[in-house]
Amino acid sequence: DIDCATLFEYAEPAFGPGAACQWRNSSALRVTFTAGAALIPFDYTNATDLNSVWLKGGVLQTDLAGATLFAAAQYAEAQTPLHPVAPAISITAPESVGVCDGVVLDARGATGGGSRALTYNWGVLTSWDAETDA
């Protein structure tokens, strides 16, 4: 493993604190994000500074014998994953509640957020009118 901050500018905000960088082979680097990663895949509707990573100049060099030049500083846009992990919802709730009772829904069993916390929007859909149906 190599410290991602050795290779990239702004590594901690992009990949999260303590993110791990590991060479898979001489040309492929694996970055494992941690909680707090802010890097998001690029597309034309959400283009921001959080869509790219910045490689530091003068750090990487080819492994060819006799090479003397180092890579210049450059950036790369984050791409969407080839096989994204789909979120899986798991909600715990009471089987029934009284008319005037509150309801607690617990979605802590949900998975698939990667290194980011999942967010939820709750609502109630009904085909009957609670005011008039008894």
Side-chain angles (χ1 to χ4, degrees):
D1 287 358
I2 184 169
D3 181 6
C4 295
T6 302
L7 302 173
F8 298 98
E9 296 286 350
Y10 319 112
E12 187 169 311
F15 308 135
C21 287
Q22 181 182 44
W23 288 104
R24 303 279 309 217
N25 56 45
S26 63
S27 62
L29 180 72
R30 170 186 267 175
V31 178
T32 304
F33 297 112
T34 62
L39 184 67
I40 54 175
F42 176 82
D43 68 42
Y44 292 101
T45 59
N46 72 359
T48 73
D49 291 342
L50 300 175
N51 297 132
S52 57
V53 294
W54 295 86
L55 178 68
K56 292 180 177 180
V59 176
L60 292 181
Q61 184 179 36
T62 182
D63 61 352
L64 295 174
T68 58
L69 298 177
F70 287 82
Q74 54 193 296
Y75 83 99
E77 293 170 344
Q79 302 296 309
T80 56
L82 294 176
H83 306 288
V85 175
I89 192 71
S90 174
I91 300 172
T92 303
E95 209 169 289
S96 63
V97 292
V99 174
C100 295
D101 293 342
V103 176
V104 175
L105 303 175
D106 183 351
R108 287 181 287 184
T111 61
S115 64
R116 296 181 174 98
L118 293 170
T119 59
Y120 308 94
N121 290 319
W122 301 99
V124 176
L125 298 176
T126 181
S127 60
W128 55 274
D129 184 348
E131 295 296 321
T132 58
D133 290 353

